[in-house]
Amino acid sequence: MSTEDQELPVFTTAADMRAWVRKQKKSGRKVALVPTMGYLHEGHLSLVKAAKEKADVVVASIYVNPTQFAAHEDFDVYPRNPAEDRDKLAAAGCHAVFEPDSLYVSVPGADGESSNVVGRESGHPGSHETFVTVERLQRPLCGGSRPHFFRGVCTVVTKLFHICEPDVAVFGRKDYQQWRVICRMVRDLDFPVEVVGMPICREPDGLAMSSRNARLSPESRERALCISRGLAWAEKAVAEGAVSEPADVAAQLRGRIEEAGGTVDYVELLHAHHLSPISDLTSQPVLLAVAAHFPARDRGTTHAANGHGSKNSQSV
């Protein structure tokens, strides 16, 4: 169903969303898509602004995608506020919102209720079982500790592309590996979509904007600043020649994060385009990618932000 009588149309089914987009395209309008998981901040809204410069019509999706969360991760406590999200999108000039209840076949769980777990993990013969993977690019960095993650990302983005049929899709480079993975998927599978990557948006103190920042305790939020400060140090140190070996940069930045109380997932310097290991800092474009965990304010769990504050990526 849709609520087209509202100022900002909100669509909850694939059929209605697709029909609306096709109507726009029939009128000769170019369509841009901004995929999000909601709980929007200025970083998301900057993507909407960029999308408006690339297309006539902007669609934003709001969907917390279960297939990119493992059972022990924060799907249930991921921050959500769809009503406020819609207001922000309307104010930003978005033209429509796709807000599905689910993008996967719903199957009963052990208690007879519909489950968020899909695919082979559900153990149900009628569950969704078709997934998209980018074999090499999804393995390093986030793929090391979260081997399920990019399978879920690529699958849901593929579904959004089929439903929303965008000419342009805009992603934030705060999730740098995700942007590269999506670019490769689009190239390899011949999607007629231009993928645009936009720079990280940061708070005034340097913390990368993130929906998950709301889960950080005040102390952890302050400590997480060691990442953006560490990235700035590394960029300056390399530019000035104070550090010349990739391993030395990684070791010193790792030490700074651990000294601040973070648990490092990875600190790696890789080729910025194909995410392969590098041996020097001068003969190719270099990505310095960092992921670290800091304590969350809820459930006493550990917070690991995807490219926001407690995980950032930056080219050096």
Side-chain angles (χ1 to χ4, degrees), residues 227-241:
I227 295 183
S228 57
R229 291 168 180 168
L231 290 169
W233 161 82
E235 188 169 24
K236 185 172 185 288
V238 170
E240 294 177 351

Side-chain angles (χ1 to χ4, degrees), residues 70-139:
H72 65 281
E73 293 179 343
D74 60 345
F75 177 82
D76 290 334
V77 296
Y78 190 88
R80 296 165 170 86
N81 193 337
E84 187 172 311
D85 287 344
R86 293 182 211 118
D87 290 343
K88 290 179 178 179
L89 289 170
C94 191
H95 299 91
V97 177
F98 182 42
E99 196 176 315
D101 294 327
S102 177
L103 287 176
Y104 302 94
V105 175
S106 180
V107 297
D111 56 3
E113 299 295 326
S114 178
S115 173
N116 287 322
V117 180
V118 300
R120 63 179 179 271
E121 294 85 354
S122 74
H124 193 284
S127 181
H128 176 103
E129 61 177 328
T130 305
F131 293 90
V132 180
T133 61
V134 176
E135 293 293 332
R136 188 190 59 79
L137 277 178
Q138 71 178 26
R139 290 178 184 172

Side-chain angles (χ1 to χ4, degrees), residues 281-305:
L281 299 172
T282 59
S283 60
Q284 63 263 301
V286 178
L287 170 76
L288 170 54
V290 180
H293 301 257
F294 292 85
R297 66 170 74 239
D298 49 19
R299 295 190 180 184
T301 59
T302 299
H303 177 68

Side-chain angles (χ1 to χ4, degrees), residues 21 28 34 37 42 57 67 73 94 96 98 112 114 152 159 185 192 208 216 220 228 250-251 254 275 282 300:
V21 167
V34 179
M37 293 207 301
E42 288 301 318
V57 172
T67 61
E73 293 179 343
C94 191
F98 182 42
S114 178
K159 293 174 75 69
M185 180 188 80
L216 284 168
S220 290
S228 57
R254 176 182 288 269
L275 307 185
T282 59

Side-chain angles (χ1 to χ4, degrees), residues 105-225:
V105 175
S106 180
V107 297
D111 56 3
E113 299 295 326
S114 178
S115 173
N116 287 322
V117 180
V118 300
R120 63 179 179 271
E121 294 85 354
S122 74
H124 193 284
S127 181
H128 176 103
E129 61 177 328
T130 305
F131 293 90
V132 180
T133 61
V134 176
E135 293 293 332
R136 188 190 59 79
L137 277 178
Q138 71 178 26
R139 290 178 184 172
L141 302 178
C142 293
S145 59
R146 306 183 73 197
H148 57 283
F149 179 70
F150 287 112
R151 184 186 77 156
V153 168
C154 290
T155 300
V156 78
V157 171
T158 294
K159 293 174 75 69
L160 290 171
F161 284 178
H162 285 316
I163 293 165
C164 300
E165 299 181 343
D167 301 289
V168 179
V170 183
F171 294 85
R173 293 203 305 267
K174 61 179 178 58
D175 297 309
Y176 188 93
Q177 185 180 15
Q178 174 178 278
W179 169 57
R180 287 295 185 190
V181 165
I182 295 301
C183 287
R184 185 62 57 87
M185 180 188 80
V186 164
R187 185 201 74 175
D188 290 353
L189 297 184
D190 297 305
F191 280 102
V193 180
E194 177 190 358
V195 178
V196 176
M198 298 301 295
I200 295 173
C201 288
R202 297 186 180 277
E203 303 287 356
D205 61 5
L207 187 69
M209 293 182 179
S210 168
S211 301
R212 282 190 171 104
N213 284 349
R215 294 194 55 217
L216 284 168
S217 68
E219 182 181 10
S220 290
R221 191 198 180 286
E222 180 64 27
R223 290 184 176 188
L225 292 173

